[in-house]
Amino acid sequence: METQLSNGPTCNNTSNGPSTISNNCSSPVESGSIEDSKTNLIVNYLPQNMTQEELKSLFGSIGEIESCKLVRDKITGQSLGYGFVNYVDPKDAEKAINTLNGLRLQTKTIKVSYARPSSASIRDANLYVSGLPKTMTQKELEQLFSQYGRIITSRILVDQVTGVSRGVGFIRFDRRVEAEEAIKGLNCQKPPGATEPITVKFANNPSQKTSQALLSQLYQSPNRRYPGPLAQQAQRFRLDNLLNMAYGVKSRFSPMAIDGVTSLAGINIPGHAGTGWCIFVYNLAPDADESILWQMFGPFGAVTNVKVIRDFNTNKCKGFGFVTMTNYDEAAVAIASLNGYRLGDRVLQVSFKTNKTHKA
DNA sequence: TTAAATT
């Protein structure tokens, strides 16, 4: 696994960017209202199965949304893992950044930030860097590249098991010209203290994932921001699911059977609302809001909607709320994990919603 | 040894 000797096309000056983009289509941003907007956000690292409606549901819990778009592959329709949310009120956009940036959803930690005005100059500004010293940190990587422009994101890929650097990373610049200069300046150069030169070139687009690739994705430690017990249970559960997908291991639950029965026979099953599984959450604090429900349930799987029930006059939470999850088994694990969970000084009761109007 | 960042 050594990339010694400069074999092949390692150290020529590649400028293999996508051949010139034809610009005959109408420019996407001409309304003027979006440029330099304090209301328009870009949301990155969304779970693959998250829909535009779920995106709107999540961000709509902050404030009124003017428009919302999940970006999809033009041909397959698959989510590209990012989207845009444009609020009516700039203060809601700011609040969304403060409360939703870093939110864990399934295997992802989403990023919420202001969208830059769309233009050709910010496209294709992403670099692939390899041959990095294994000891180089993300910060050091940024320091190396920052002399060429404003860095939007940086990342060093790590071994899924050991967490050690793979010597491969990405740098996204604000503008393509900055990326071009960085290639000229750093490709085939040795970073300070390094013994081998690095390779810097334009990055490819990420490829579609098979379920096998999904497996390896799970093992690599994502962002270790809030590695609490809940997240660990959720991750353990996802691992079970992925093992099922990859190797056909039977799960403890049988979501397909139950969902099938429900849709075919119309049998009333607790929590089943047609569009998903409705979960009742009891003993929330008066100041609870939707974000706490997203935070608690999001790591367990696909959450399509959350709602805190409030008093009409005081606008305080009446002590309960609802969460809708798409998949039965994820909902079941969330309930099993969160029922009895201590939130602040309260112990939550979590169950599938029933049709009872009151408890006897 | 290439991960979902500009509608």
Side-chain angles (χ1 to χ4, degrees), chain A residues 229-248:
Chain A
L230 286 181
Q232 287 174 20
Q233 282 189 69
Q235 184 156 17
R236 172 58 196 270
F237 168 61
R238 287 192 303 271
L239 177 60
D240 288 347
N241 260 358
L242 288 167
L243 287 169
N244 291 346
M245 285 169 51
Y247 303 113

Side-chain angles (χ1 to χ4, degrees), chain A residues 11 148 183-191 194 196-200:
Chain A
C11 281
Y148 296 97
I183 291 174
K184 289 179 192 166
L186 292 175
N187 186 35
C188 303
Q189 299 297 117
K190 291 180 189 171
E196 299 299 322
I198 62 174
T199 299
V200 184

Side-chain angles (χ1 to χ4, degrees), chain A residues 181-223:
Chain A
E181 289 307 306
I183 291 174
K184 289 179 192 166
L186 292 175
N187 186 35
C188 303
Q189 299 297 117
K190 291 180 189 171
T195 58
E196 299 299 322
I198 62 174
T199 299
V200 184
K201 59 186 193 178
F202 283 108
N204 297 332
N205 290 325
S207 55
Q208 294 274 356
K209 287 190 190 93
T210 65
S211 66
Q212 284 286 338
L214 231 74
L215 251 188
S216 64
Q217 176 199 337
L218 203 149
Y219 275 109
Q220 103 187 12
S221 69
N223 252 327

Side-chain angles (χ1 to χ4, degrees), chain A residues 6 10 15-16 31 34 46 52 64-65 68 82 97 110 125 132 144-145 165 215 246 307 309 313 319 328 330 357:
Chain A
S6 51
T10 35
S15 59
N16 68 341
S31 60
I34 292 192
L46 293 168
Q52 181 164 296
E64 185 181 352
I65 291 175
C68 170
Y82 68 94
I97 292 175
I110 70 170
L132 293 167
L144 181 62
F145 280 80
S165 167
L215 251 188
K307 186 159 187 65
I309 305 303
N313 293 315
Y328 174 84
E330 292 172 346
T357 52

Side-chain angles (χ1 to χ4, degrees), chain A residues 76-108:
Chain A
T76 68
Q78 292 281 86
S79 166
L80 294 183
Y82 68 94
F84 297 88
V85 175
N86 193 22
Y87 282 99
V88 174
D89 188 340
K91 298 188 76 170
D92 287 332
E94 185 181 2
K95 186 179 174 190
I97 292 175
N98 291 332
T99 64
L100 297 178
N101 184 41
L103 178 70
R104 292 172 44 89
L105 292 176
Q106 302 175 229
T107 64
K108 304 289 187 179

Side-chain angles (χ1 to χ4, degrees), chain A residues 43-55 69-84 108 206-209:
Chain A
V43 187
N44 290 295
Y45 312 114
L46 293 168
Q48 170 62 227
N49 59 7
M50 192 170 194
T51 66
Q52 181 164 296
E53 288 64 39
E54 291 163 15
L55 184 66
K69 179 164 192 174
L70 179 70
V71 180
R72 296 188 178 89
D73 183 280
K74 284 192 182 72
I75 297 165
T76 68
Q78 292 281 86
S79 166
L80 294 183
Y82 68 94
F84 297 88
K108 304 289 187 179
S207 55
Q208 294 274 356
K209 287 190 190 93

